Amino acid sequence: MIFKYNVFVALVVVLSIWANIEGRSVSKFLTEETVGTKWAVLVAGSNGWFNYRHQADVCHAYQILKKGGLKDENIIVFMYDDIANNTMNPRPGVIINNPHGQDVYKGVPKDYVGEDVNAENFFNVILANKSGITGGSGKVLNSGPNDHIFIYYTDHGGPGIISMPTGLVYANDLINVLKKKHASGTYSKLVFYLEACESGSMFDGLLPEGLNIYVTTASNPNESSWGTYCQMGAGGPCLVECPPPEFKGVCLGDLYSVAWMEDSEAEDRQTETLNDQYNTVANRTAANLTYGSHVMQYGDTVLSVDVLFQYMGAASVNHSHVSMNSESSSQNVDQRDVELFYLTSKYQDAPEGSDEHFETGVKLIKTIAERSKVDNSVKHIGDLLFGVEKGSEVLQHVRPAGQPLVDNRDCLKSYIETFEVHCGKLSSYGKKHIRGIANICNAGIESEQMASATAQACSS
C-alpha cells in the first residue's frame, strides 16, 4: 500500500515537472490531455434577408471556436449563405453579430450551403455517413471514442420541430440520430445548444440520460425565443446597444445565442463550466414583462461541471465589444414577429408616396392577413373535430413537463402534410400551431377525419 502511494506521489511529481516545463498547471495539463479531438457542427437553418441573425450567429460561433484552437477540418458549417452578398446588405461581404460591427463572415467554411442545408445532410453528417451526403463539401463528423462534440443550431422552430430552408427536423428523428451516434461509440461527450421557438420540445420527455449528451435550449417547450440587437426604422425605440442605422428592420443576433457567445468571449473557458454559462445565459435571456424566455437543460446534466474549454477550446479573454448585462438594453423581438418587424420598419422608413412605401405596405397587409388566415383555419379545424365549445381547449392543451409533445410521431408528420396540402405551407409564424396538430393526433382522430376537416376549413 505504501509502495503504491509512493508511486502515485512520484507520478504526480513527474506530471507537475512536465507541466511546469510547458508553463502549465497540473489541472490545465490534465484537462488538455484527457480530451481527444474537439469537433463542432454549426447550423443556421433559415434563409432570407430578414433572417440575417441566424447566419450571423453561426458565423460568430465559428470565429469563437476557431480562435479557441479548433481546426477547420473539425468544424462543419451549414448555412444558406445568402446574407453576406445579399443586395440588401449595406456592408457587402460582411456579416456582423453585434452593434459594434466586427465582421464574423470572413474565413467561415462553406461546407453545406443553399439546398444542401437540409435535414438528411445534417443527420448524415452527425452519423459520419458520407455515402448519404448529397452536395456540399462531404465533410462529416468523423469523431472517435475519446472526442468531444459541440453542436449549435439556430433557426425558427415550433412544437416538436426545428426548421430548415426546405423541410423540417422532427424531434423524434433528431433523438434517434443522437442515440445512433452514441451506439456507434464515436464520441466521449456531446454538448448541444439549440436556439429556436419551443426549442425545449425537441428534447423534453425524449432525450434519455446515459448518452453522455448535455443540452441547453433557448426556450422551454411552450414559448418563443427572441431576436436581439434589432434596429427599428424611422427613429424606433432602441436607445442603447443599437445596430448601425443602415440595418433597419434587422436583428443582428438571437438573445440566447449572443448571450452564450459573448459570455464565451468574456470569461476564461479553462475555468468557466457549462453550468456557469447556463446560469449566465438563463439570467440574461430570462422572461420578464416585455421579452425573454426560459433557458432549459436536458440530458446528462452531470456534464455541466465540465469546463467550456473541453468543447470550445480556449482563447484570450476579450472584454471589448461584449454586452453581458443581465437584462439586454437592446431592442428585442419575438422570433415569430421578426418578419413583421422587418416589414413595419421598412414601411415606416420608406418615403411616403414612393414605390417602396406602397409595395412594402402591400406585403405587410398580406403577411398580417396570412397570419390571421392560418389562425382561423386551425381554429375551424378544431371546431369541426371537437365542437365549438371544446375545439380551442383541445388544440391549446399543454402537456406536463417531461411528457413528449406527441404519442405517435408518424401521425404528426402525416397530419402536418395533410394540413399543408389543404391549407398551405406553414410559415415560421404558423408553425406555432403544430402543438394543435399534435393534440389532434393525441386525441386519436383518424386520418380520414383530419383530411376532411382540413379540406373543409381551408376551402371556405
Side-chain angles (χ1 to χ4, degrees):
M1 180 65 108
I2 294 174
F3 173 74
K4 289 182 179 178
Y5 174 77
N6 287 337
V7 169
F8 175 76
V9 172
L11 180 60
V12 171
V13 170
V14 170
L15 288 173
S16 181
I17 292 171
W18 188 10
N20 284 332
I21 288 173
E22 296 295 320
R24 298 176 296 178
S25 67
V26 174
S27 61
K28 182 179 175 184
F29 169 78
L30 291 174
T31 299
E32 290 183 0
E33 299 306 315
T34 53
V35 175
T37 301
K38 299 178 184 71
W39 291 81
V41 180
L42 310 176
V43 183
S46 70
N47 59 354
W49 176 249
F50 68 87
N51 287 317
Y52 181 106
R53 64 200 180 282
H54 296 138
Q55 292 181 52
D57 292 337
V58 157
C59 290
H60 190 181
Y62 166 79
Q63 301 298 345
I64 289 171
L65 300 178
K66 181 70 173 177
K67 290 176 183 176
L70 275 72
K71 300 176 182 177
D72 279 353
E73 65 195 63
N74 302 123
I75 305 175
I76 304 167
V77 179
F78 286 78
M79 65 175 184
Y80 205 85
D81 197 28
D82 61 341
I83 297 300
N85 296 302
N86 194 296
T87 56
M88 299 291 292
N89 192 355
R91 300 184 185 182
V94 170
I95 294 177
I96 62 176
N97 194 220
N98 66 54
H100 304 283
Q102 293 181 322
D103 181 25
V104 292
Y105 181 70
K106 185 177 181 180
V108 176
K110 299 177 179 66
D111 293 304
Y112 298 93
V113 300
E115 297 303 309
D116 298 333
V117 181
N118 57 60
E120 292 75 18
N121 278 347
F122 176 53
F123 290 156
N124 284 313
V125 162
I126 293 174
L127 295 174
N129 179 22
K130 201 161 187 175
S131 64
I133 298 292
T134 55
S137 67
K139 197 189 299 182
V140 296
L141 199 54
N142 196 23
S143 52
N146 297 319
D147 295 349
H148 285 187
I149 298 170
F150 176 63
I151 300 176
Y152 167 57
Y153 196 120
T154 177
D155 193 20
H156 293 288
I161 62 96
I162 45 180
S163 297
M164 281 286 188
T166 56
L168 302 172
V169 173
Y170 286 88
N172 290 87
D173 292 341
L174 175 60
I175 298 301
N176 286 338
V177 166
L178 294 176
K179 287 178 178 177
K180 287 180 183 178
K181 186 67 175 176
H182 178 262
S184 71
T186 53
Y187 70 90
S188 173
K189 299 176 182 179
L190 187 154
V191 169
F192 199 128
Y193 281 9
L194 176 59
E195 170 88 59
C197 293
E198 288 97 7
S199 46
S201 67
M202 295 296 291
F203 301 98
D204 192 36
L206 294 171
L207 181 67
E209 295 182 356
L211 301 182
N212 274 0
I213 295 176
Y214 171 73
V215 174
T216 74
T217 63
S219 63
N220 68 27
N222 317 312
E223 63 186 355
S224 297
S225 63
W226 289 72
T228 193
Y229 297 145
C230 306
Q231 176 63 271
M232 174 64 84
C238 185
L239 300 175
V240 288
E241 295 292 352
C242 304
E246 63 267 29
F247 286 91
K248 294 180 180 69
V250 170
C251 297
L252 300 182
D254 289 290
L255 187 55
Y256 159 90
S257 294
V258 300
W260 79 255
M261 286 187 279
E262 291 179 358
D263 177 68
S264 296
E265 291 174 318
E267 300 299 328
D268 184 350
R269 298 203 290 270
Q270 291 176 335
T271 59
E272 185 178 32
T273 66
L274 291 164
N275 190 63
D276 292 335
Q277 182 159 95
Y278 164 76
N279 287 324
T280 298
V281 174
N283 228 14
R284 182 171 174 184
T285 311
N288 58 46
L289 292 176
T290 56
Y291 70 88
S293 58
H294 300 83
V295 177
M296 304 297 290
Q297 299 180 93
Y298 299 98
D300 294 299
T301 54
V302 66
L303 298 186
S304 66
V305 301
D306 288 353
V307 293
L308 298 178
F309 164 81
Q310 293 178 261
Y311 305 91
M312 303 178 190
S316 57
V317 177
N318 172 25
H319 291 291
S320 64
H321 307 311
V322 173
S323 174
M324 286 310 302
N325 28 337
S326 60
E327 289 190 11
S328 175
S329 52
S330 171
Q331 172 84 354
N332 301 292
V333 178
D334 185 323
Q335 279 228 57
R336 288 226 162 81
D337 293 333
V338 166
E339 184 177 11
L340 276 186
F341 177 81
Y342 168 70
L343 291 171
T344 301
S345 300
K346 189 175 180 182
Y347 177 75
Q348 290 177 349
D349 199 59
E352 194 160 349
S354 66
D355 289 345
E356 183 182 11
H357 190 263
F358 174 78
E359 290 168 5
T360 306
V362 170
K363 288 180 183 177
L364 183 57
I365 292 169
K366 182 181 177 183
T367 300
I368 293 170
E370 287 172 349
R371 287 161 66 112
S372 179
K373 182 180 179 181
V374 72
D375 290 342
N376 291 333
S377 295
V378 172
K379 183 181 184 305
H380 194 179
I381 291 169
D383 292 346
L384 290 170
L385 292 173
F386 306 108
V388 175
E389 292 183 0
K390 291 187 177 180
S392 295
E393 180 184 345
V394 173
L395 296 183
Q396 294 170 14
H397 175 70
V398 176
R399 287 181 153 187
Q403 191 173 355
L405 173 77
V406 67
D407 298 324
N408 185 336
R409 64 184 180 184
D410 292 330
C411 174
L412 180 62
K413 288 183 182 181
S414 174
Y415 285 11
I416 288 174
E417 290 175 3
T418 298
F419 180 89
E420 292 191 331
V421 165
H422 295 287
C423 306
K425 186 176 176 61
L426 286 166
S427 65
S428 56
Y429 172 81
K431 283 166 185 166
K432 72 176 186 176
H433 290 298
I434 289 176
R435 180 178 309 283
I437 298 175
N439 287 336
I440 291 171
C441 288
N442 294 335
I445 297 297
E446 297 293 336
S447 57
E448 294 81 5
Q449 293 174 277
M450 179 62 175
S452 175
T454 53
Q456 184 176 341
C458 295
S459 63
S460 56

